[in-house]
Amino acid sequence: MQYQSQLVAKPYFIAAIGLFIVQILFGLIVGLQYVVGDFLFPEIPFNVARMVHTNLLIVWLLFGFMGAAYYLVPEESERELYSPKLAIVTFWIFLVAGALTIIGYLAVPYATLAEITGNDILPTMGREFLEQPLITKVGIVIVALSLLYNVTMTTLMGRKTSITIILLMGLWGLSLFWMFSFYNPENLVLDKYYWWWVVHMWVEGVWELIMGALLAFVLIKVTGVDREVIDKWLYVIIALTLITGIIGMGHHYYWIGTPGYWQWWGSLFSALEPIPFFVMTLFAFNMVNRRRRDHPNKIATLWALGTAVTAFLGAGVWGFMHTLAPVNFYTHGSQITAAHGHLAFYGAYVMVVLAIISYAMPMMRGRVANCAKAQLWETWSFWLMTISMVVITLLLTGAGVMQVWLQRMGDTPMSFMATQAELSVFYWLRVIGGGVFFIGLIIYVISFFIKDKKEAVTTSV
Amino acid sequence: MDGGFFTKSRARNIFFGGSVFFFLLLLVLTFDTVQKLPKSDHRENITPEVARGKLVWETNNCIGCHSLIGEGAYFAPELGNVYKRRGEAFIKAWMKAMPTGAPGRRQMPQFNLSEGQMDDLVAFLKWTSEINTQGWPPNIEG
């Protein structure tokens, strides 16, 4: 670690991992509720547990992105962070606001929460992923502004690299598109149309810029490959991302009341969306094969390779599976969507955040890499989490195919609930997959506490 | 991808040029979509009842279990066409009867909606079922 202020990233990463654990616990609850319908009812109804599961995912990934930005920007800019104090204050604001929001979800009925937080002033709640009370949404804006101010000033006053420029564009884009969460017209079709300007523009747009920047940073560090080469790949990847992904948003506009021509635009462009993920996989393996140093942090390299491959599978292949309009007509809003969502989020965003944590945490704890034993534990957690998530995805895909077959095809379609009963074997196995994932996560956490005195890598950087 | 014609600055230019071009294309398509929407969303039928019904829908987090025109959670039935599948009387009776308490079955909470809120919600679901969704869902089961 080259600059003292990079240390502000540490609480962000710790909070990210803490919230990740809670997110998975709630994932296990919703998974169980799929098969034991009255599990924890009425204390934690499905809608509440799911909202906690998805909102925590978003929040901890944001913690990860922010921690990554605070770690990476000083190093890239070759100067201390503009204001470490502001970064720490912002951390506590975000953590307390996030925790209060989750407690609010769990403590009172959602309608009551909406009432006491003044949803009447500007109704924004009750839309998927945007369930947060108005005050939390405003809080996110404040936290984002503080982050943007801090890292932009640092960049402006220091060295400007392609990685920081792309990361900053990602973070600015994230904040700008968030503003659409405040727009909730009475007309459901317009509501849905612009809802995607948050959701799609985040996960299939600007977040990919952040992912690319983080991946490139880790690859530069662990491979020692020339920056010029890495930068060029990075620009090619994000160019392909936005060229395909912006109009690719059309794949959400097939059936929500929008004109039929979106079926052509959406199918054509979103069919190309796997390409940048494929190039990202080529990029990661190429850089590692052409490495000019053997970095002792093997597990960070594994996460970097893993995120590229799994993002290609989850976002690329599983996205393509149901993106063409004639296919999507049958699969829209089925378990196929859930399958894709799980592997895409895990591969692209969970794993890239774990990659940067894996690289940066040892540095912040005064060593280039963790001891071999700790890396072995983390490697186990890598495989357990990744394989179980692939298995979960395959099971949900199986459930989705069967659901489409029983409920949406043929002359005597079954009702939704009757179909769900037929899928229970897939859902039971999925819960087991979730259990294995959770074990992997516990092993991941344990790896932080594994010490091996004999062969500690003591070199401080 | 080293050196030669395809340099880093060319890659960067493709990124900036491509992103700006396709974002402008999105704005053009959005402009056109917004012009055409009134024909498919029948906004002339958005009465105060429908608007209030959307708020009832949102403030009870219905999307946390159900999907609405295919978007939302996939734990409970699609409701974009529930007005056509079940009709007003069934929807109201169903919501009043919740939760069933049947052991092991998925449970829907009791939301204690007033008669007025119930009417608003049904009006919203009726309007939603009349949106031109290009023929989706494939059949009445949603």
Side-chain angles (χ1 to χ4, degrees):
Chain A
M1 202 183 69
Q2 294 164 2
Y3 298 91
Q4 203 54 34
S5 54
Q6 288 177 279
L7 269 180
V8 301
K10 205 169 166 183
Y12 282 89
F13 289 153
I14 293 171
I17 295 168
L19 297 173
F20 183 19
I21 297 169
V22 185
Q23 187 226 336
I24 299 309
L25 283 174
F26 276 86
L28 291 172
I29 292 175
V30 286
L32 259 179
Q33 286 176 332
Y34 255 89
V35 275
V36 185
D38 53 356
F39 180 64
L40 292 183
F41 186 87
E43 287 75 25
I44 308 179
F46 179 89
N47 74 85
V48 173
R50 181 189 194 260
M51 176 166 64
V52 172
H53 178 63
T54 56
N55 280 221
L56 275 177
L57 170 67
I58 299 166
V59 169
W60 86 254
L61 288 177
L62 291 179
F63 266 111
F65 290 165
M66 292 165 75
Y70 289 127
Y71 183 85
L72 174 162
V73 169
E75 190 158 326
E76 287 288 289
S77 307
E78 295 183 332
R79 52 154 292 146
E80 296 287 354
L81 188 65
Y82 180 73
S83 170
K85 208 175 277 177
L86 181 63
I88 292 295
V89 171
T90 307
F91 167 78
W92 286 108
I93 293 176
F94 194 33
L95 187 65
V96 170
L100 284 178
T101 303
I102 300 298
I103 291 169
Y105 289 162
L106 291 166
V108 294
Y110 191 74
T112 313
L113 185 68
E115 202 182 317
I116 58 181
T117 55
N119 192 55
D120 283 346
I121 303 167
L122 180 68
T124 64
M125 291 172 71
R127 295 173 300 151
E128 194 187 8
F129 310 130
L130 306 184
E131 295 96 344
Q132 309 79 24
L134 181 60
I135 186 161
T136 308
K137 288 198 177 83
V138 174
I140 291 173
V141 174
I142 293 168
V143 167
L145 284 175
S146 161
L147 168 83
L148 291 175
Y149 175 66
N150 218 343
V151 293
T152 307
M153 289 304 281
T154 312
T155 307
L156 287 178
M157 295 165 85
R159 181 176 69 146
K160 293 148 197 74
T161 66
S162 300
I163 288 180
T164 47
I165 289 168
I166 291 163
L167 178 67
L168 281 176
M169 284 192 295
L171 294 171
W172 275 96
L174 182 158
S175 310
L176 287 173
F177 286 114
W178 174 248
M179 300 314 288
F180 283 96
S181 74
F182 293 95
Y183 179 61
N184 179 19
E186 287 174 351
N187 184 339
L188 180 71
V189 178
L190 275 177
D191 170 7
K192 282 175 175 289
Y193 190 89
Y194 289 107
W195 179 84
W196 283 113
W197 287 54
V198 184
V199 178
H200 176 94
M201 285 301 188
W202 270 22
V203 300
E204 291 174 69
V206 291
W207 281 28
E208 285 185 41
L209 303 192
I210 298 170
M211 181 203 177
L214 301 190
L215 181 63
F217 177 78
V218 173
L219 286 174
I220 284 183
K221 296 295 167 184
V222 296
T223 66
V225 170
D226 191 37
R227 195 178 273 277
E228 281 296 305
V229 179
I230 290 206
D231 286 355
K232 186 160 62 172
W233 277 89
L234 183 56
Y235 273 120
V236 169
I237 290 165
I238 60 170
L240 288 166
T241 297
L242 293 190
I243 287 170
T244 61
I246 291 174
I247 303 299
M249 184 151 67
H251 65 183
H252 302 296
Y253 294 160
Y254 296 159
W255 328 114
I256 62 165
T258 31
Y261 60 65
W262 281 107
Q263 292 174 30
W264 292 99
W265 288 104
S267 297
L268 199 67
F269 279 84
S270 67
L272 303 174
E273 280 187 57
I275 295 172
F277 286 106
F278 184 67
V279 178
M280 204 180 277
T281 305
L282 291 180
F283 166 58
F285 278 91
N286 243 297
M287 295 307 104
V288 171
N289 286 337
R290 288 159 60 175
R291 66 186 176 275
R292 295 160 79 170
R293 69 165 81 108
D294 272 308
H295 199 282
N297 195 338
K298 306 280 178 224
I299 178 65
T301 316
L302 183 62
W303 283 115
L305 293 172
T307 192
V309 173
T310 318
F312 170 65
L313 285 177
V317 177
W318 255 264
F320 180 78
M321 214 178 267
H322 57 145
T323 205
L324 300 175
V327 176
N328 192 263
F329 180 71
Y330 291 101
T331 61
H332 179 55
S334 70
Q335 292 297 324
I336 302 279
T337 317
H340 160 61
H342 278 82
L343 198 60
F345 261 98
Y346 176 73
Y349 301 122
V350 171
M351 290 180 88
V352 83
V353 168
L354 297 188
I356 186 91
I357 290 178
S358 194
Y359 172 75
M361 263 310 219
M363 293 285 192
M364 289 190 286
R365 299 168 84 194
R367 48 185 179 257
V368 180
N370 289 326
C371 66
K373 209 168 139 196
Q375 291 202 38
L376 184 65
W377 278 70
E378 199 178 334
T379 307
W380 270 98
S381 78
F382 170 93
W383 289 110
L384 280 174
M385 287 198 278
T386 304
I387 291 173
S388 60
M389 188 52 84
V390 169
V391 169
I392 287 170
T393 303
L394 289 169
L395 290 166
L396 290 178
T397 307
V401 170
M402 204 163 143
Q403 181 187 13
V404 167
W405 177 252
L406 295 176
Q407 188 189 317
R408 290 183 174 166
M409 300 181 97
D411 296 329
T412 49
M414 284 166 67
S415 76
F416 178 90
M417 287 310 292
T419 305
Q420 290 297 305
E422 298 291 321
L423 306 179
S424 64
V425 63
F426 290 106
Y427 294 144
W428 270 115
L429 292 170
R430 186 264 297 265
V431 175
I432 296 171
V436 175
F437 188 94
F438 188 66
I439 293 169
L441 178 55
I442 297 302
I443 291 174
Y444 174 75
V445 173
I446 292 172
S447 77
F448 283 86
F449 301 97
I450 301 280
K451 287 189 185 78
D452 193 343
K453 278 178 188 156
K454 280 176 209 157
E455 55 144 352
V457 187
T458 47
T459 333
S460 68
V461 179
Chain B
M1 299 217 337
D2 292 315
F5 173 80
F6 197 73
T7 58
K8 174 181 152 185
S9 70
R10 276 184 207 276
R12 188 176 52 214
N13 292 343
I14 292 172
F15 165 68
F16 282 113
S19 307
V20 170
F21 176 81
F22 283 100
F23 193 75
L24 289 175
L25 178 60
L26 174 68
L27 292 182
V28 170
L29 288 170
T30 296
F31 181 79
D32 184 71
T33 296
V34 170
Q35 301 301 308
K36 292 191 166 78
L37 275 189
K39 269 183 267 169
S40 56
D41 62 26
H42 302 291
R43 61 189 63 181
E44 68 279 5
N45 297 332
I46 303 181
T47 59
E49 253 194 329
V50 172
R52 286 199 303 270
K54 182 165 182 279
L55 268 178
V56 173
W57 168 269
E58 287 167 358
T59 52
N60 288 285
N61 197 29
C62 307
I63 206 81
C65 291
H66 294 275
S67 55
L68 191 66
I69 320 187
E71 292 168 359
Y74 325 110
F75 186 70
E78 160 69 28
L79 297 187
N81 65 346
V82 70
Y83 185 87
K84 290 181 175 166
R85 185 167 65 242
R86 301 293 197 184
E88 176 167 355
F90 182 97
I91 295 170
K92 288 182 172 176
W94 179 266
M95 289 197 65
K96 281 177 196 161
M98 294 297 110
T100 62
R105 298 275 299 168
R106 296 181 191 176
Q107 297 296 311
M108 175 166 162
Q110 173 54 251
F111 291 101
N112 298 309
L113 299 186
S114 68
E115 282 301 320
Q117 285 177 313
M118 204 82 95
D119 289 337
D120 293 342
L121 183 62
V122 169
F124 170 66
L125 291 173
K126 177 176 188 291
W127 171 78
T128 302
S129 73
E130 288 159 1
I131 295 170
N132 174 4
T133 54
Q134 309 291 330
W136 196 89
N139 63 52
I140 195 70
E141 298 298 344

